[in-house]
Amino acid sequence: MESPSPPSKRRRKNECGDDTSSSPVVVFAHGAGAPSSSDWMIKWKDMLGKALDAVEVVTFDYPYIAGGKRKAPPKAENLVEFHTDVVKRAVAKFPGHPLILAGKSMGSRVSCMVACKEDIAASAVLCLGYPLKGMNGAVRDELLLQITVPIMFVQGSKDGLCPLDKLEAVRKKMKSLSELHLIDGGDHSFKIGKKHLQTMGTTQDEMEGLAVQAIAAFISKSQRKFWGKYTGSRHGQFKLFTIIIQSLNLLLQEGQKLFCQEIVLPF
């Protein structure tokens, strides 16, 4: 089940005809162990929406955890199709708005997989606690070496699933623009111990606020590169046109389904 953020003032203006196409639509995927309704997801959904001035932040639950289910998560590759459908519906709802894919832990891996698809034109990917190490301890870098979309990593310095030296080594080999924001003392979910916060003379909210500011600055820079990529050549313009047409077709299909569901025959 998808859970969009409430319409913002910018969205209401857009419905009245004003140009707000610079505000992105964000599709935000949860991690392996908690659904989109978790306190962590709700908090970060709100922070991302405000910091990025998003027209909407769409969250959703993968089928294995939807409706209160607590099944073991499948391989990330098996979630790509479902995730892609959610993204395409979001793009069709807001044609012309930049698309940002965001995810926590496993959700960030699946977001990267979706961003690699030919028919998805993401302007950036946000990885919140990227799980670079697999369950067997091996470094999973193949996906990151394939991606060409600008990507930002936000990592806790004490995150055991992403050794910082390994991440830096991977970033040096990546094709795409990438940045790293480190949350000092943070674990896989960015939680910082009280003693560490006292030593630094700061708070959890302040540290996470700095991370969100860094995300906003990165997105601003990456969006300029994204539009330059698609408007600077005939090939890029054609690809962008094709993606817009596909999105409009999907929107029409969804509208037809809704129309058919609302028809009540008089006999």
Side-chain angles (χ1 to χ4, degrees):
M1 180 177 179
E2 295 172 34
S3 174
S5 56
S8 65
K9 291 182 180 179
R10 286 183 65 81
R11 181 178 168 187
R12 287 198 291 268
K13 287 181 181 179
N14 185 51
E15 291 169 345
C16 295
D18 290 347
D19 180 17
T20 60
S21 60
S22 62
S23 54
V25 55
V26 182
V27 179
F28 185 21
H30 63 76
S36 61
S37 57
S38 69
D39 291 343
W40 194 99
M41 285 291 295
I42 292 171
K43 179 181 180 181
W44 275 87
K45 173 183 177 179
D46 181 63
M47 290 194 298
L48 290 175
K50 290 177 180 177
L52 301 179
D53 198 17
V55 65
E56 193 161 296
V57 179
V58 178
T59 54
F60 61 96
D61 290 336
Y62 291 116
Y64 77 89
I65 205 170
K69 292 183 288 188
R70 281 293 186 272
K71 296 182 179 179
K75 290 184 177 181
E77 293 83 353
N78 296 334
L79 300 172
V80 173
E81 183 178 357
F82 181 85
H83 194 143
T84 301
D85 288 342
V86 173
V87 170
K88 288 183 175 180
R89 287 195 295 271
V91 170
K93 187 177 180 181
F94 298 103
H97 289 262
L99 168 66
I100 296 173
L101 302 179
K104 181 189 189 302
S105 192
M106 180 194 72
S108 67
R109 283 197 74 223
V110 184
S111 294
C112 288
M113 294 176 186
V114 173
C116 288
K117 294 176 69 67
E118 184 67 22
D119 56 346
I120 299 295
S123 61
V125 180
L126 302 178
C127 297
L128 306 180
Y130 190 84
L132 186 61
K133 284 176 58 178
M135 295 298 292
N136 61 358
V139 173
R140 301 180 291 193
D141 60 355
E142 295 87 355
L143 175 61
L144 297 179
L145 298 180
Q146 293 173 10
I147 195 168
T148 58
V149 176
I151 181 170
M152 177 153 193
F153 300 95
V154 179
Q155 301 291 150
S157 66
K158 295 185 178 181
D159 183 356
L161 293 179
C162 188
L164 297 177
D165 59 335
K166 302 294 185 183
L167 179 60
E168 281 304 300
V170 173
R171 288 183 60 215
K172 290 177 181 178
K173 297 185 290 184
M174 289 173 61
K175 302 173 185 176
S176 62
L177 170 71
S178 72
E179 284 190 13
L180 167 65
H181 179 83
L182 195 62
I183 297 182
D184 191 6
D187 62 11
H188 188 56
S189 294
F190 310 149
K191 182 67 175 178
I192 306 170
K194 291 183 179 179
K195 289 185 178 180
H196 195 79
L197 289 172
Q198 291 173 354
T199 300
M200 294 190 297
T202 187
T203 66
Q204 183 77 39
D205 288 343
E206 287 176 351
M207 294 294 284
E208 291 181 350
L210 291 174
V212 171
Q213 290 177 25
I215 289 172
F218 177 78
I219 292 301
S220 178
K221 177 170 60 177
S222 64
Q223 283 189 9
R224 290 195 297 269
K225 290 181 177 292
F226 170 79
W227 290 116
K229 170 184 175 182
Y230 283 105
T231 58
S233 68
R234 288 186 180 274
H235 175 73
Q237 292 169 1
F238 177 77
K239 183 176 180 181
L240 182 59
F241 176 76
T242 301
I243 292 169
I244 291 173
I245 293 299
Q246 290 173 343
S247 298
L248 291 174
N249 284 336
L250 181 61
L251 183 60
L252 287 173
Q253 292 171 12
E254 292 294 326
Q256 288 172 351
K257 291 179 184 177
L258 181 61
F259 178 74
C260 292
Q261 290 173 356
E262 291 180 350
I263 292 177
V264 179
L265 297 178
F267 51 85

